[in-house]
Amino acid sequence: MHHMTLAEIARGLADKKFSSEELTKVLLARIAQLDPQLNSFISLTEELALGQAKAADARRANGESGALLGAPIAHKDLFCTLGIRTSCGSKMLDNFKAPYDATVVAKLAAAGTVTLGKTNMDEFAMGSANESSYYGSVKNPWNLEHVPGGSSGGSAAAVAARLLPAATATDTGGSIRQPAAFTNLTGLKPTYGRVSRWGMIAYASSLDQGGPLARTAEDCAILLQGMAGFDPNDSTSIDEPVPDYRASLNGSLQGLRIGVPKEYFSAGLDPRIAERVHNSVKELEKLGAIIKEISLPNMQHAIPAYYVIAPAEASSNLSRFDGVRFGYRCENPENLIDLYKRSRGEGFGAEVQRRIMVGAYALSAGYYDAYYLKAQKIRRLVKNDFMAAFNEVDIILGPTTPNPAWKLGAKTSDPVAEYLEDVYTITANLAGLPGLSMPAGFVDGLPVGVQLLAPYFQEGRLLNVAHQYQLNTDWHTRTPTGF
Ligand code: GLN
């Protein structure tokens, strides 16, 4: 039962082959048995899940239908869930029970999803390896000595290990796409503004975007359908109609213009990944796509710009965690300043503190123009590169990551080495564009992802290309041994 995709589950439920309650029990038992190896959950919500499953079964018995009605999922632990711990992977919020549901959580619950739990993540979504979590590292089911990617490593490891069919995640600089690549999943970061950020604990507000992590493009379409849409509670939410994503899956790729940026194939890229990317290009060519070399000349400036803008926004967003209003408070403060200092010093981990300091520095008087303003100008250049490229092509294709998943601990003492791994993903966040990662082969038994980028609001196009690719390849069907 645990091998089923969301699409298969929907069919099985509709045909009364099993109930949501039965499926939920099977998956909860599987999580109890296998998650100790992976550490992909921070909280399990068995009671909530069984209640939601029974309610979904009752709705079906009353004649309701829907692809998500009775579908078991989990939420990354930065989506607020009413009455349930929402930790953001941090000691700071270890005792925080959200007083409301995030819009994404509420929308999915209304569509009938069953929440099995809250998944592990890098602290405040800062990281590319899921090693900065207060709750410990997550292991990659493809090789338990390797990282699953981050920051949505818990969602990715759980879905890859068949503990559940799909999960929500968020992507500020690659945190959906990069763990998807590292664990052989399909993950979609929507256009900025497509999915409401209300109730998503903020890391860098101008970059953060929620999206689906699943095993197939079709399942990403199903989950995105339940997540996307205008939300008056989020001032950056965009009031555009949500298309039927599943309906777009079957379009032909005949004549589709795919751009491959020459800058992507620099010395930093593992040649074995380059080869897998070229194979995926050949496959898409067979399906009728036309391949064109393009250029994104400002790509090299994206990492330094991102690692100024994201920490700057984080330093501002995280100022609310002061020991007074939310979460952790130090013992016996001597005075107000001591309360602030020790609550923050004890409640935040090392990487979060590093970023708050970098961000506060970049925003300080005298340095603002040199760092923050400069980074914003680069951001515009990165966007302009994409706009020029999309005049020539419909889709941009390349690797999702320069390397496969590294060993646990390999980069923990060198934060910059970890930042450099984000080179292919962060540009989409800087420009606000949608991006998808899909499985495209293996290197030393570890999965490789190919990234597709599209113009604003063309999530349907990305899902279409990935679905057609998946109809003609079987990488996405491979299962990690032991799971
Ligand atoms: N690795 C990037 C960072 O640490 C992206 C994280 C994310 O997308 N949340 O900022």
Side-chain angles (χ1 to χ4, degrees):
M1 242 178 170
H2 58 267
H3 283 291
M4 285 186 296
T5 61
L6 284 178
E8 289 162 351
I9 289 170
R11 270 198 297 278
L13 288 171
D15 296 347
K16 301 196 171 51
K17 295 227 167 79
F18 49 84
S19 68
S20 175
E21 189 183 351
E22 281 167 316
L23 174 63
T24 299
K25 284 184 177 159
V26 167
L27 295 181
L28 286 172
R30 202 172 148 77
I31 292 169
Q33 183 203 346
L34 294 172
D35 198 49
Q37 294 177 60
L38 299 170
N39 195 28
S40 62
F41 280 89
I42 291 175
S43 304
L44 288 175
T45 51
E46 291 106 329
E47 250 176 68
L48 171 70
L50 289 170
Q52 286 177 324
K54 280 184 197 155
D57 288 335
R59 282 168 67 180
R60 279 204 187 262
N62 279 333
E64 262 190 73
S65 59
L68 288 169
L69 187 53
I73 59 160
H75 293 296
K76 184 175 181 179
D77 206 18
L78 58 54
F79 286 97
C80 283
T81 39
L82 172 67
I84 295 165
R85 174 168 59 179
T86 301
S87 75
C88 224
S90 182
K91 179 178 176 184
M92 183 59 90
L93 291 177
D94 182 50
N95 64 5
F96 177 65
K97 287 193 175 141
Y100 64 98
D101 277 331
T103 298
V104 160
V105 172
K107 279 173 82 88
L108 287 173
T113 58
V114 172
T115 303
L116 301 182
K118 305 290 296 287
T119 55
N120 205 342
M121 54 179 285
D122 275 303
E123 186 176 4
F124 283 97
M126 298 174 186
S128 312
N130 215 125
E131 292 182 293
S132 75
S133 169
Y134 174 60
Y135 303 90
S137 319
V138 177
K139 316 287 182 297
N140 189 325
W142 289 94
N143 183 334
L144 297 172
E145 289 177 8
H146 287 250
V147 302
S151 62
S152 314
S155 289
V159 177
R162 276 65 178 160
L163 304 187
L164 74 177
T168 60
T170 63
D171 190 311
T172 304
S175 286
I176 292 177
R177 293 160 287 156
Q178 186 254 21
F182 279 10
T183 60
N184 208 43
L185 298 182
T186 308
L188 173 67
K189 178 202 102 68
T191 306
Y192 184 76
R194 177 74 292 183
V195 169
S196 168
R197 291 184 300 108
W198 197 70
M200 234 173 80
I201 296 176
Y203 159 19
S205 313
S206 77
L207 301 159
D208 297 342
Q209 186 62 198
L213 260 174
R215 294 196 289 267
T216 64
E218 183 177 25
D219 278 9
C220 282
I222 292 171
L223 194 54
L224 179 64
Q225 201 75 47
M227 298 173 79
F230 176 62
D231 179 5
N233 284 334
D234 172 0
S235 62
T236 59
S237 166
I238 296 177
D239 197 357
E240 277 274 320
V242 180
D244 180 345
Y245 293 117
R246 259 175 124 182
S248 63
L249 295 173
N250 293 316
S252 155
L253 303 191
Q254 202 63 45
L256 179 84
R257 298 166 304 164
I258 297 183
V260 180
K262 58 174 191 255
E263 291 83 1
Y264 279 6
F265 298 87
S266 68
L269 176 64
D270 182 326
R272 298 167 303 173
I273 292 192
E275 199 240 344
R276 307 299 184 273
V277 172
H278 288 307
N279 291 344
S280 74
V281 168
K282 281 185 221 143
E283 194 61 47
L284 292 168
E285 245 180 329
K286 276 198 246 159
L287 300 177
I290 301 160
I291 311 300
K292 246 185 124 165
E293 186 182 87
I294 58 164
S295 174
L296 297 172
N298 291 293
M299 179 185 155
Q300 50 172 326
H301 306 304
I303 287 192
Y306 173 90
Y307 278 98
V308 168
I309 293 168
E313 293 186 17
S315 74
S316 166
N317 277 326
L318 272 58
S319 65
R320 75 191 68 179
F321 303 107
D322 55 8
V324 178
R325 291 165 293 179
F326 309 92
Y328 181 80
R329 177 180 296 179
C330 68
E331 301 273 344
N332 306 319
E334 278 169 26
N335 52 41
L336 185 62
I337 297 296
D338 186 49
L339 169 82
Y340 290 153
K341 278 192 180 164
R342 283 204 290 119
S343 297
R344 288 168 69 79
E346 293 163 19
F348 289 135
E351 182 61 23
V352 173
Q353 293 191 28
R354 180 179 298 119
R355 300 219 188 172
I356 290 173
M357 284 192 283
V358 168
Y361 178 83
L363 289 175
S364 57
Y367 295 105
Y368 181 90
D369 289 357
Y371 295 109
Y372 187 71
L373 206 59
K374 200 45 148 267
Q376 291 291 14
K377 288 180 179 170
I378 292 171
R379 184 174 191 171
R380 174 50 66 114
L381 295 177
V382 167
K383 178 183 167 180
N384 290 351
D385 280 0
F386 279 122
M387 296 304 104
F390 284 129
N391 282 331
E392 291 176 56
V393 297
D394 305 307
I395 290 275
I396 294 174
L397 181 149
T400 308
T401 64
N403 294 295
W406 54 89
K407 277 205 154 158
L408 284 152
K411 293 187 199 290
T412 37
S413 58
D414 187 355
V416 174
E418 192 168 319
Y419 300 166
L420 292 172
E421 295 291 327
D422 299 336
V423 59
Y424 297 116
T425 49
I426 52 175
T427 50
N429 303 78
L430 288 171
L433 292 168
L436 175 148
S437 180
M438 61 181 190
F442 291 82
V443 163
D444 291 338
L446 291 164
V448 169
V450 158
Q451 177 177 245
L452 307 171
L453 302 173
Y456 298 114
F457 295 103
Q458 303 228 355
E459 287 79 8
R461 196 23 106 56
L462 293 175
L463 292 162
N464 168 220
V465 177
H467 182 67
Q468 293 304 312
Y469 180 78
Q470 291 177 347
L471 288 176
N472 291 279
T473 55
D474 67 356
W475 303 118
H476 63 289
T477 65
R478 311 279 172 106
T479 311
T481 319
F483 296 96

